[in-house]
Amino acid sequence: MTFTDEYKGDNAVEAHGNTKLHVIHTNNKKQMAITLAQYERHLSLQRHKIIGIDLEYNNDPEATQKPALCQLSIGKSHPVLLFQMSDSERCTVFDNFLADPRYTFAGFSIDGDKTRLERVKLEVANFVDIQKEWRVPEATKPLYSLGDVSGVLIDDYYNNMKKKITDDEHQRWAILPLSRRHIEYAVKDAYAAMAPVADTCVYAEGLQLTNTEWRSMLGCLMIANRGFRAPLLHRLRTADLQESWKLPSTIKFHAPSSGKLTLETEHKNGYGDMEVDYHIDSEDCINITTGWKDFVSQNGFEAGEVAMVFFYKEEDSIKFKIFTI
């Protein structure tokens, strides 16, 4: 028997803060095709076609375990799709979507997912493991969990994500109907798998990054407890590398109207830091002045490089950490 349960409006799933997610839970091939067609229309307009994916398994022994539920997300502005694989007929549209090489599917610790998909003769064409590709540099743990990464880049809420459901509940993904707790957990897993890769990549208006620059930027973002969730991204111009650098007025930073700040960088010339002067002008723009030219020279910045800048306070000092990619 086919079904489609929809969670939206007042019944939407709260992810964190004010973020609410529209959810479609279905085993209906027609509904699956409609939703994936909406995904494809949106993704056709995107430079980086990223889909968050996660799987929950049935309660068979591990050696024969198969997927029970597949969760897909392309961001908070579109429905999260929960496809009940354990109670559905084979869906060619779904199979072809997973196998489409145009898309990047972002998962977390995906080796187990790959094995279980193989058991039902399914393969994800472009499956990327966030845990392996974008681990936190110099982390105290060799590999962070999805909750750890999402807690750093999205919201502290995700730090305890795995505690939101019990071990007994984890055994019941193939038993319908799924509880509201199951639905909420599955939705947040899919959204959290996608958001660190896509939602935190806030590009400056008009800035186009190459795939190499984009991947490098993601690595920089995985620095725990540093800066805003969305750093400034800016392609350096010749004028930016002169005596001073005027940052865009869109960058607001609570600080005295003038003073000193510490610039830090990690660049082709290695790590460097320097204390420089700044002032906030009549247009509310931050101007980095005395010391900026020396900083540029010391680190070998060149026009055309993309600068990614984190702003943060450390004790009584203001720091800008700059990466060029």
Side-chain angles (χ1 to χ4, degrees):
M1 181 176 178
T2 62
F3 70 88
T4 297
D5 294 327
E6 198 162 1
Y7 303 80
K8 62 181 181 178
D10 292 339
N11 199 32
V13 172
E14 292 186 8
H16 62 270
N18 295 321
T19 299
K20 292 188 175 182
L21 301 174
H22 176 190
V23 183
I24 295 173
H25 178 212
T26 189
N27 68 348
N28 187 309
K29 293 196 295 183
K30 183 176 180 180
Q31 179 63 62
M32 164 66 68
I34 291 170
T35 305
L36 291 185
Q38 293 172 352
Y39 278 15
E40 290 179 325
R41 284 195 294 272
H42 170 74
L43 292 167
S44 69
L45 303 175
Q46 306 305 306
R47 179 178 176 83
H48 302 292
K49 306 178 192 304
I50 302 167
I51 302 145
I53 184 171
D54 192 42
L55 294 175
E56 307 297 346
Y57 313 140
N58 62 21
N59 198 30
D60 288 352
E62 186 172 341
T64 58
Q65 206 169 44
K66 296 177 182 179
L69 184 75
C70 180
Q71 306 109 279
L72 299 173
S73 171
I74 60 170
K76 60 188 175 184
S77 299
H78 300 271
V80 177
L81 180 61
L82 307 183
F83 182 41
Q84 194 68 43
M85 298 174 67
S86 61
D87 191 47
S88 68
E89 298 177 359
R90 192 76 186 208
C91 180
T92 303
V93 173
F94 174 70
D95 296 358
N96 291 342
F97 185 75
L98 294 186
D100 195 323
R102 293 176 299 171
Y103 306 134
T104 296
F105 290 85
F108 208 89
S109 188
I110 65 175
D111 291 343
D113 291 347
K114 285 183 174 180
T115 298
R116 287 158 179 83
L117 285 169
E118 288 172 359
R119 290 174 186 159
V120 292
K121 295 181 169 49
L122 279 176
E123 182 178 359
V124 177
N126 193 9
F127 209 164
V128 176
D129 195 334
I130 300 171
Q131 189 183 45
K132 293 179 180 177
E133 294 289 337
W134 294 299
R135 63 180 291 265
V136 178
E138 300 177 2
T140 55
K141 295 189 282 186
L143 293 173
Y144 266 32
S145 71
L146 177 57
D148 291 329
V149 172
S150 301
V152 170
L153 294 181
I154 310 174
D155 193 272
D156 291 342
Y157 166 87
Y158 292 95
N159 289 326
N160 296 314
M161 187 167 65
K162 290 299 181 184
K163 299 177 182 178
K164 304 298 180 182
I165 196 168
T166 67
D167 290 341
D168 181 63
E169 288 171 315
H170 260 305
Q171 310 303 315
R172 302 175 60 83
W173 289 107
I175 299 174
L176 297 176
L178 294 181
S179 70
R180 175 75 184 205
R181 281 167 58 84
H182 281 92
I183 295 296
E184 291 180 352
Y185 179 91
V187 168
K188 292 168 188 176
D189 248 12
Y191 176 68
M194 177 266 184
V197 184
D199 280 4
T200 58
C201 300
V202 179
Y203 301 98
E205 186 174 354
L207 177 63
Q208 296 293 320
L209 301 182
T210 66
N211 286 336
T212 299
E213 289 169 337
W214 179 70
R215 179 178 285 268
S216 297
M217 184 193 71
L218 288 170
C220 296
L221 280 170
M222 304 296 275
I223 295 179
N225 304 316
R226 294 288 186 172
F228 295 137
R229 298 289 186 241
L232 165 68
L233 292 178
H234 175 71
R235 193 175 294 281
L236 292 167
R237 302 163 298 181
T238 301
D240 298 326
L241 304 177
Q242 304 301 318
E243 298 292 339
S244 63
W245 183 26
K246 182 175 181 175
L247 277 67
S249 58
T250 52
I251 301 303
K252 305 295 184 185
F253 193 70
H254 296 293
S257 59
S258 64
K260 293 187 178 294
L261 60 85
T262 300
L263 297 179
E264 296 183 52
T265 189
E266 290 183 15
H267 190 250
K268 59 192 175 188
N269 290 354
Y271 171 82
D273 65 9
M274 185 178 293
E275 191 174 75
V276 301
D277 294 326
Y278 78 91
H279 71 267
I280 299 174
D281 65 20
S282 59
E283 298 177 325
D284 289 331
C285 295
I286 301 170
N287 289 260
I288 303 175
T289 55
T290 306
W292 169 248
K293 187 174 183 179
D294 292 337
F295 186 71
V296 168
S297 176
Q298 173 182 298
N299 291 286
F301 291 171
E302 297 178 3
E305 293 180 318
V306 175
M308 181 171 67
V309 187
F310 287 92
F311 313 87
Y312 58 97
K313 291 184 178 180
E314 193 168 89
E315 296 178 350
D316 296 328
S317 64
I318 301 169
K319 291 190 177 183
F320 286 14
K321 188 150 190 172
I322 303 175
F323 299 88
T324 53
I325 52 181

Short mmCIF file of all heavy atoms in Angstrom, two decimals, residues 267-307:
data_model
loop_
_atom_site.label_atom_id
_atom_site.label_comp_id
_atom_site.label_asym_id
_atom_site.label_seq_id
_atom_site.Cartn_x
_atom_site.Cartn_y
_atom_site.Cartn_z
N HIS A 267 49.14 30.61 4.10
CA HIS A 267 49.30 30.93 2.70
C HIS A 267 50.43 30.11 2.13
O HIS A 267 51.04 29.29 2.83
CB HIS A 267 49.55 32.45 2.56
CG HIS A 267 49.49 32.96 1.16
ND1 HIS A 267 50.61 33.38 0.49
CD2 HIS A 267 48.46 33.10 0.30
CE1 HIS A 267 50.25 33.79 -0.74
NE2 HIS A 267 48.96 33.62 -0.87
N LYS A 268 50.75 30.34 0.86
CA LYS A 268 51.83 29.58 0.21
C LYS A 268 53.17 29.80 0.90
O LYS A 268 54.07 28.96 0.82
CB LYS A 268 51.92 29.97 -1.26
CG LYS A 268 52.20 31.45 -1.50
CD LYS A 268 51.99 31.81 -2.96
CE LYS A 268 52.14 33.31 -3.19
NZ LYS A 268 51.77 33.70 -4.55
N ASN A 269 53.31 30.96 1.58
CA ASN A 269 54.56 31.23 2.30
C ASN A 269 54.53 30.73 3.74
O ASN A 269 55.42 31.02 4.52
CB ASN A 269 54.86 32.73 2.29
CG ASN A 269 55.24 33.23 0.90
OD1 ASN A 269 55.39 32.44 -0.02
ND2 ASN A 269 55.38 34.52 0.74
N GLY A 270 53.46 30.02 4.10
CA GLY A 270 53.35 29.50 5.46
C GLY A 270 52.54 30.41 6.37
O GLY A 270 51.88 31.34 5.93
N TYR A 271 52.58 30.10 7.65
CA TYR A 271 51.82 30.87 8.65
C TYR A 271 52.52 32.21 8.90
O TYR A 271 53.74 32.30 8.94
CB TYR A 271 51.72 30.09 9.95
CG TYR A 271 51.14 30.91 11.09
CD1 TYR A 271 49.76 31.06 11.21
CD2 TYR A 271 51.96 31.55 12.00
CE1 TYR A 271 49.23 31.82 12.24
CE2 TYR A 271 51.43 32.31 13.03
CZ TYR A 271 50.06 32.44 13.14
OH TYR A 271 49.53 33.21 14.14
N GLY A 272 51.71 33.25 9.10
CA GLY A 272 52.27 34.55 9.46
C GLY A 272 51.27 35.36 10.24
O GLY A 272 50.06 35.14 10.15
N ASP A 273 51.75 36.29 11.06
CA ASP A 273 50.85 37.21 11.73
C ASP A 273 51.53 38.56 11.87
O ASP A 273 52.75 38.68 11.82
CB ASP A 273 50.37 36.68 13.08
CG ASP A 273 51.50 36.53 14.10
OD1 ASP A 273 52.62 36.98 13.84
OD2 ASP A 273 51.24 35.95 15.16
N MET A 274 50.71 39.61 12.04
CA MET A 274 51.23 40.96 12.12
C MET A 274 50.17 41.85 12.74
O MET A 274 48.98 41.68 12.48
CB MET A 274 51.62 41.47 10.74
CG MET A 274 52.30 42.83 10.72
SD MET A 274 52.79 43.31 9.04
CE MET A 274 54.06 42.09 8.70
N GLU A 275 50.58 42.80 13.55
CA GLU A 275 49.67 43.78 14.12
C GLU A 275 49.59 44.98 13.19
O GLU A 275 50.62 45.51 12.76
CB GLU A 275 50.12 44.21 15.51
CG GLU A 275 49.07 45.02 16.26
CD GLU A 275 49.48 45.33 17.69
OE1 GLU A 275 50.35 46.21 17.86
OE2 GLU A 275 48.94 44.67 18.61
N VAL A 276 48.38 45.40 12.87
CA VAL A 276 48.18 46.52 11.95
C VAL A 276 47.15 47.48 12.54
O VAL A 276 46.47 47.17 13.53
CB VAL A 276 47.70 46.03 10.57
CG1 VAL A 276 48.71 45.07 9.95
CG2 VAL A 276 46.34 45.35 10.68
N ASP A 277 47.03 48.66 11.92
CA ASP A 277 46.04 49.65 12.33
C ASP A 277 44.77 49.49 11.49
O ASP A 277 44.82 49.05 10.34
CB ASP A 277 46.58 51.07 12.15
CG ASP A 277 47.74 51.37 13.07
OD1 ASP A 277 47.73 50.86 14.21
OD2 ASP A 277 48.66 52.09 12.66
N TYR A 278 43.65 49.90 12.07
CA TYR A 278 42.41 49.93 11.31
C TYR A 278 41.60 51.14 11.77
O TYR A 278 41.82 51.69 12.85
CB TYR A 278 41.58 48.65 11.52
CG TYR A 278 40.83 48.64 12.83
CD1 TYR A 278 39.52 49.12 12.93
CD2 TYR A 278 41.42 48.16 14.00
CE1 TYR A 278 38.84 49.13 14.15
CE2 TYR A 278 40.76 48.17 15.21
CZ TYR A 278 39.46 48.66 15.27
OH TYR A 278 38.80 48.68 16.48
N HIS A 279 40.66 51.56 10.95
CA HIS A 279 39.64 52.52 11.39
C HIS A 279 38.35 52.23 10.62
O HIS A 279 38.38 51.63 9.54
CB HIS A 279 40.09 53.97 11.19
CG HIS A 279 40.14 54.40 9.75
ND1 HIS A 279 41.28 54.32 9.00
CD2 HIS A 279 39.18 54.92 8.93
CE1 HIS A 279 41.04 54.76 7.78
NE2 HIS A 279 39.78 55.14 7.71
N ILE A 280 37.24 52.63 11.21
CA ILE A 280 35.94 52.46 10.57
C ILE A 280 35.53 53.83 10.05
O ILE A 280 35.40 54.78 10.82
CB ILE A 280 34.91 51.89 11.56
CG1 ILE A 280 35.38 50.51 12.04
CG2 ILE A 280 33.53 51.80 10.90
CD1 ILE A 280 34.51 49.91 13.13
N ASP A 281 35.31 53.94 8.73
CA ASP A 281 35.07 55.25 8.13
C ASP A 281 33.60 55.64 8.19
O ASP A 281 32.77 54.94 8.78
CB ASP A 281 35.62 55.30 6.70
CG ASP A 281 34.89 54.34 5.76
OD1 ASP A 281 33.77 53.92 6.06
OD2 ASP A 281 35.47 54.01 4.70
N SER A 282 33.27 56.78 7.57
CA SER A 282 31.91 57.34 7.63
C SER A 282 30.89 56.45 6.93
O SER A 282 29.68 56.60 7.16
CB SER A 282 31.90 58.74 7.02
OG SER A 282 32.33 58.69 5.67
N GLU A 283 31.36 55.54 6.07
CA GLU A 283 30.45 54.61 5.39
C GLU A 283 30.35 53.27 6.13
O GLU A 283 29.81 52.31 5.60
CB GLU A 283 30.95 54.37 3.96
CG GLU A 283 30.98 55.64 3.11
CD GLU A 283 31.55 55.38 1.72
OE1 GLU A 283 32.47 54.53 1.62
OE2 GLU A 283 31.08 56.02 0.77
N ASP A 284 30.89 53.25 7.36
CA ASP A 284 30.89 52.04 8.18
C ASP A 284 31.72 50.91 7.58
O ASP A 284 31.47 49.73 7.85
CB ASP A 284 29.46 51.54 8.45
CG ASP A 284 28.69 52.45 9.39
OD1 ASP A 284 29.34 53.08 10.24
OD2 ASP A 284 27.46 52.53 9.26
N CYS A 285 32.68 51.28 6.75
CA CYS A 285 33.58 50.27 6.18
C CYS A 285 34.84 50.16 7.05
O CYS A 285 35.36 51.16 7.54
CB CYS A 285 33.99 50.66 4.76
SG CYS A 285 32.63 50.67 3.58
N ILE A 286 35.32 48.93 7.22
CA ILE A 286 36.56 48.70 7.95
C ILE A 286 37.73 48.93 7.00
O ILE A 286 37.81 48.32 5.93
CB ILE A 286 36.61 47.27 8.51
CG1 ILE A 286 35.44 47.01 9.45
CG2 ILE A 286 37.94 47.00 9.21
CD1 ILE A 286 35.28 45.56 9.85
N ASN A 287 38.63 49.81 7.38
CA ASN A 287 39.84 50.08 6.59
C ASN A 287 41.05 49.58 7.35
O ASN A 287 41.32 50.02 8.47
CB ASN A 287 39.99 51.59 6.35
CG ASN A 287 38.96 52.13 5.38
OD1 ASN A 287 39.24 52.33 4.22
ND2 ASN A 287 37.75 52.37 5.88
N ILE A 288 41.77 48.64 6.76
CA ILE A 288 43.03 48.18 7.33
C ILE A 288 44.12 49.06 6.73
O ILE A 288 44.28 49.12 5.50
CB ILE A 288 43.29 46.70 7.00
CG1 ILE A 288 42.12 45.84 7.51
CG2 ILE A 288 44.60 46.23 7.63
CD1 ILE A 288 42.23 44.39 7.13
N THR A 289 44.88 49.73 7.59
CA THR A 289 45.79 50.76 7.09
C THR A 289 47.25 50.42 7.38
O THR A 289 47.81 49.52 6.75
CB THR A 289 45.39 52.13 7.67
OG1 THR A 289 45.35 52.04 9.11
CG2 THR A 289 44.01 52.56 7.18
N THR A 290 47.89 51.13 8.31
CA THR A 290 49.31 50.96 8.57
C THR A 290 49.66 49.50 8.88
O THR A 290 49.08 48.90 9.79
CB THR A 290 49.76 51.85 9.75
OG1 THR A 290 49.37 53.20 9.48
CG2 THR A 290 51.26 51.78 9.94
N GLY A 291 50.56 48.96 8.13
CA GLY A 291 50.97 47.58 8.30
C GLY A 291 50.41 46.64 7.25
O GLY A 291 50.94 45.54 7.04
N TRP A 292 49.34 47.05 6.57
CA TRP A 292 48.71 46.16 5.58
C TRP A 292 49.65 45.86 4.42
O TRP A 292 49.79 44.71 4.00
CB TRP A 292 47.41 46.78 5.08
CG TRP A 292 46.82 46.07 3.88
CD1 TRP A 292 46.72 46.55 2.61
CD2 TRP A 292 46.28 44.73 3.84
NE1 TRP A 292 46.15 45.61 1.78
CE2 TRP A 292 45.87 44.49 2.52
CE3 TRP A 292 46.11 43.73 4.80
CZ2 TRP A 292 45.29 43.28 2.12
CZ3 TRP A 292 45.54 42.53 4.40
CH2 TRP A 292 45.14 42.30 3.08
N LYS A 293 50.32 46.89 3.88
CA LYS A 293 51.21 46.67 2.74
C LYS A 293 52.34 45.71 3.10
O LYS A 293 52.73 44.84 2.31
CB LYS A 293 51.77 48.00 2.25
CG LYS A 293 52.57 47.88 0.96
CD LYS A 293 52.98 49.24 0.42
CE LYS A 293 53.72 49.10 -0.90
NZ LYS A 293 54.11 50.44 -1.45
N ASP A 294 52.89 45.87 4.32
CA ASP A 294 53.95 44.96 4.76
C ASP A 294 53.42 43.53 4.89
O ASP A 294 54.12 42.56 4.56
CB ASP A 294 54.52 45.43 6.10
CG ASP A 294 55.29 46.73 5.98
OD1 ASP A 294 55.76 47.04 4.86
OD2 ASP A 294 55.41 47.44 7.00
N PHE A 295 52.19 43.40 5.38
CA PHE A 295 51.58 42.08 5.52
C PHE A 295 51.41 41.42 4.16
O PHE A 295 51.69 40.23 3.98
CB PHE A 295 50.22 42.24 6.23
CG PHE A 295 49.54 40.95 6.56
CD1 PHE A 295 50.01 40.13 7.57
CD2 PHE A 295 48.40 40.56 5.87
CE1 PHE A 295 49.37 38.94 7.90
CE2 PHE A 295 47.75 39.37 6.18
CZ PHE A 295 48.24 38.56 7.20
N VAL A 296 50.96 42.20 3.19
CA VAL A 296 50.79 41.69 1.82
C VAL A 296 52.13 41.22 1.26
O VAL A 296 52.23 40.13 0.67
CB VAL A 296 50.19 42.79 0.92
CG1 VAL A 296 50.29 42.41 -0.56
CG2 VAL A 296 48.73 43.05 1.30
N SER A 297 53.16 42.05 1.44
CA SER A 297 54.49 41.72 0.92
C SER A 297 55.05 40.47 1.58
O SER A 297 55.60 39.58 0.93
CB SER A 297 55.43 42.90 1.13
OG SER A 297 56.74 42.58 0.72
N GLN A 298 54.89 40.38 2.92
CA GLN A 298 55.42 39.25 3.68
C GLN A 298 54.81 37.93 3.23
O GLN A 298 55.49 36.90 3.19
CB GLN A 298 55.13 39.48 5.16
CG GLN A 298 55.48 38.29 6.07
CD GLN A 298 55.13 38.58 7.53
OE1 GLN A 298 55.67 39.50 8.12
NE2 GLN A 298 54.22 37.79 8.08
N ASN A 299 53.55 37.96 2.87
CA ASN A 299 52.85 36.73 2.55
C ASN A 299 52.70 36.47 1.05
O ASN A 299 52.19 35.42 0.66
CB ASN A 299 51.46 36.74 3.21
CG ASN A 299 51.56 36.64 4.71
OD1 ASN A 299 51.85 35.59 5.25
ND2 ASN A 299 51.38 37.77 5.40
N GLY A 300 53.15 37.41 0.24
CA GLY A 300 53.14 37.17 -1.20
C GLY A 300 51.77 37.13 -1.82
O GLY A 300 51.55 36.42 -2.81
N PHE A 301 50.80 37.89 -1.25
CA PHE A 301 49.47 37.93 -1.85
C PHE A 301 49.56 38.50 -3.27
O PHE A 301 50.34 39.41 -3.54
CB PHE A 301 48.53 38.82 -1.03
CG PHE A 301 48.17 38.26 0.32
CD1 PHE A 301 47.47 39.04 1.24
CD2 PHE A 301 48.50 36.97 0.69
CE1 PHE A 301 47.13 38.55 2.48
CE2 PHE A 301 48.16 36.47 1.93
CZ PHE A 301 47.48 37.26 2.83
N GLU A 302 48.71 37.97 -4.14
CA GLU A 302 48.70 38.43 -5.52
C GLU A 302 47.28 38.72 -5.96
O GLU A 302 46.32 38.10 -5.47
CB GLU A 302 49.32 37.37 -6.44
CG GLU A 302 50.78 37.07 -6.17
CD GLU A 302 51.33 35.98 -7.07
OE1 GLU A 302 50.56 35.50 -7.93
OE2 GLU A 302 52.50 35.61 -6.91
N ALA A 303 47.16 39.68 -6.89
CA ALA A 303 45.85 39.99 -7.46
C ALA A 303 45.29 38.74 -8.14
O ALA A 303 46.03 37.98 -8.80
CB ALA A 303 45.96 41.13 -8.45
N GLY A 304 44.01 38.52 -7.97
CA GLY A 304 43.36 37.35 -8.56
C GLY A 304 43.13 36.22 -7.59
O GLY A 304 42.28 35.35 -7.82
N GLU A 305 43.88 36.20 -6.48
CA GLU A 305 43.66 35.16 -5.47
C GLU A 305 42.37 35.46 -4.70
O GLU A 305 41.99 36.62 -4.52
CB GLU A 305 44.83 35.10 -4.49
CG GLU A 305 46.12 34.62 -5.12
CD GLU A 305 47.26 34.58 -4.11
OE1 GLU A 305 47.39 35.53 -3.31
OE2 GLU A 305 48.02 33.61 -4.14
N VAL A 306 41.71 34.40 -4.24
CA VAL A 306 40.51 34.57 -3.43
C VAL A 306 40.91 34.58 -1.96
O VAL A 306 41.52 33.65 -1.46
CB VAL A 306 39.50 33.44 -3.69
CG1 VAL A 306 38.30 33.56 -2.76
CG2 VAL A 306 39.04 33.46 -5.14
N ALA A 307 40.57 35.67 -1.28
CA ALA A 307 40.83 35.78 0.16
C ALA A 307 39.56 35.38 0.91
O ALA A 307 38.47 35.83 0.59
CB ALA A 307 41.23 37.20 0.52
#
